[in-house]
Amino acid sequence: MFPENTAHSPAEQAVTIHQPTPLATIPIAPVIPVQPGAVPAVTSIVLPDGRVITGYAIAPSQPEPVTAKPVVSRAAVNIALGGIGFGAVCGGLVLLTTFIAALAALVQQLIILAAVIFGGWIAVQVLTTTGKDRSATTVNIRKAVIKRSHFHG
């Protein structure tokens, strides 16, 4: 077990043997009577190497039926409905911006019209004389000659 050149005592070289502990007895479950038609038949299968396996045939377990998912998810439907709603609103938004632009143009035209009318009224007031004062001052402007930075009038 150990090589000869190691210095082990014969007590260290002894092999320890463990005895198995017996298991506690388990009570046998009561036998439940089963209808004769429900007991599966015992079948035996011979393997290619000659071994025989005997046992009950078990029906394969059926997986639980999967609930059918809808073809289109709810998120996709919500996004599509949101897009349709936004598309419906866009036409109104275009009309709203067109209305605002037309209103701004109308206000601009009204301001220009008011300026023209008010300017014309002021011009009429300045250029016309009243009935009481028909005399006006006449100013004769002669041709002035400017020679060498001196005014000769």
Side-chain angles (χ1 to χ4, degrees), residues 20-103:
T21 307
L23 297 174
T25 58
I26 300 172
I28 300 173
V31 178
I32 300 172
V34 180
Q35 297 293 333
V39 176
V42 176
T43 56
S44 297
I45 300 173
V46 179
L47 298 177
D49 61 354
R51 293 182 293 165
V52 177
I53 298 175
T54 304
Y56 292 104
I58 299 174
S61 63
Q62 298 293 329
E64 293 183 19
V66 178
T67 57
K69 290 186 176 180
V71 178
V72 181
S73 69
R74 292 184 67 90
V77 170
N78 290 338
I79 291 171
L81 290 176
I84 291 170
F86 183 73
V89 168
C90 280
L93 290 176
V94 168
L95 289 176
L96 182 65
T97 55
T98 305
F99 175 74
I100 291 172
L103 187 63

